[in-house]
Amino acid sequence: MWRGMENSHQKSYLDTLGREEGGNERWSSFILGTVMELDKQHGCIWTSEDRREQHYPPPNLQALLKLVLVPRIDSMSVQAFLMYFILDMTNFLQCKDDLLQSFCHAFTIPASFSQQIRAFWMLDHGHVTASMELLLSPRAAVPRLPWQHRCVVHCLLTRKQPRLALRYLHWTRPAIESADDAKLCADVLLQNRYILPCLRRLGPAEERPHRKRGHARVLLADM
């Protein structure tokens, strides 16, 4: 079963997005971004005999459960990983029962958090419209980490969904913490043909320092 899940996930990933160049692989899926963020913060979280790089799914169930033993690891990150895996397992085994709901009930995980992870899972598996309908609704918690916003916007743009990316920015108003964030927001505006607001907000180089940190609403305000 484990090997079958790994092959299924790899096929879904390649069919949906393919491999990207230029260091954008980490934003190509939510689960890959999660693995890379955990590796960045805590070092190598698991390895396997045939693969040296960090990957998903983990090599075995023991490696997955050992996440809870990683010192100072964010409990929400562990819960997100486990919920994502449960959705994968449910899908692979074609379970009719809602295992995610049972898991969240057993561990008192808020429904809004589980629905957020369900939306991320659907986005990773190519169910873009359904994913955004859920993620952009009061049922799902707003993503809390900057890299999650980058991942969602990047995924939507690579799937040729700039309107959905714009809706996402309007709904979540993510903080702009780096030049890459500003570039990504500008890319959303340009692909939606909001050229003048984009140029006005980016402006001449000498006017940019005070905009280095801010919110997406600054870029969206003039539309």
Side-chain angles (χ1 to χ4, degrees):
M1 184 193 80
W2 207 273
R3 179 63 65 181
M5 286 182 61
E6 181 174 8
N7 293 338
S8 176
H9 184 269
Q10 286 298 315
K11 183 179 185 302
S12 174
Y13 173 68
L14 293 173
D15 288 348
T16 303
L17 289 175
R19 293 287 182 180
E20 296 189 48
E21 301 295 334
N24 286 326
E25 293 90 348
R26 68 184 305 175
W27 313 128
S28 296
S29 73
F30 166 78
I31 194 60
L32 185 57
T34 301
V35 171
M36 291 187 172
E37 283 297 311
L38 290 177
D39 178 67
K40 177 181 175 182
Q41 295 172 16
H42 304 284
C44 183
I45 54 177
W46 55 60
T47 57
S48 61
E49 295 180 356
D50 54 343
R51 297 182 65 174
R52 290 292 182 183
E53 76 276 9
Q54 297 296 279
H55 60 283
Y56 177 88
N60 49 57
L61 183 60
Q62 184 182 25
L64 176 65
L65 296 178
K66 278 186 175 180
L67 276 179
V68 301
L69 302 178
V70 176
R72 296 180 298 279
I73 193 170
D74 178 18
S75 62
M76 291 187 70
S77 295
V78 175
Q79 291 173 353
F81 215 109
L82 291 173
M83 285 190 287
Y84 192 101
F85 179 80
I86 289 171
L87 287 169
D88 256 351
M89 184 175 64
T90 301
N91 179 67
F92 182 78
L93 297 177
Q94 298 183 340
C95 297
K96 294 182 179 180
D97 296 332
D98 192 340
L99 300 183
L100 179 61
Q101 184 178 17
S102 299
F103 174 80
C104 293
H105 179 73
F107 291 93
T108 323
I109 297 174
S112 58
F113 185 28
S114 69
Q115 292 308 299
Q116 178 198 101
I117 303 305
R118 189 186 296 273
F120 282 142
W121 184 91
M122 289 191 292
L123 183 62
D124 280 359
H125 289 75
H127 309 300
V128 180
T129 301
S131 170
M132 287 300 103
E133 286 178 355
L134 179 55
L135 194 58
L136 301 180
S137 76
R139 290 178 293 159
V142 176
R144 65 189 179 92
L145 300 175
W147 72 263
Q148 294 174 336
H149 295 300
R150 297 182 199 118
C151 180
V152 172
V153 174
H154 179 77
C155 286
L156 291 173
L157 291 181
T158 56
R159 288 177 170 89
K160 312 299 182 185
Q161 297 288 343
R163 296 296 298 176
L164 283 178
L166 188 63
R167 280 186 58 200
Y168 179 83
L169 290 181
H170 269 299
W171 180 267
T172 59
R173 306 289 184 177
I176 297 177
E177 300 187 344
S178 67
D180 287 340
D181 290 342
K183 181 179 180 297
L184 197 58
C185 285
D187 200 13
V188 172
L189 292 176
L190 290 173
Q191 291 195 35
N192 281 281
R193 300 185 179 182
Y194 289 111
I195 299 176
L196 289 180
C198 178
L199 293 177
R200 189 180 300 122
R201 285 302 173 184
L202 291 179
E206 63 273 12
E207 297 179 7
R208 293 178 193 168
H210 68 285
R211 299 175 187 146
K212 185 175 181 180
R213 295 178 62 88
H215 289 270
R217 64 171 62 94
V218 175
L219 285 173
L220 302 171
D222 290 339
M223 292 191 313

